[in-house]
Amino acid sequence: MLTVQYAKGLPGIRVNAVDPGFTATETHGMSGDGIQTAEEGTGAIVRLASIGANGPAGTFSDRHGELPW
């Protein structure tokens, strides 16, 4: 909800939320089933951070794309 409110209140800025997913970090030993690489975890973040002025705003995405809720 906060993402949507910021997006509405700051129309000149693209405000979006991204879930990087369960990504390999030193916090959990960087191993295990279902853990993605740092590159996979940052893909959605980089994609949304580099969108143009006509890109989406007020969305929630993960590495597979925009989520419906």
Side-chain angles (χ1 to χ4, degrees), residues 27-68:
T27 303
H28 55 73
M30 301 189 338
S31 63
D33 292 335
I35 298 177
Q36 63 192 2
T37 66
E39 290 79 15
E40 291 169 327
T42 58
I45 297 167
V46 171
R47 180 174 45 83
L48 283 173
S50 59
I51 61 172
N54 294 323
T59 67
F60 184 76
S61 299
D62 66 8
R63 66 182 275 209
H64 303 289
E66 188 175 325
L67 299 170

Side-chain angles (χ1 to χ4, degrees), residues 8 13 22 51:
K8 287 180 180 179
I13 300 173
F22 195 41
I51 61 172

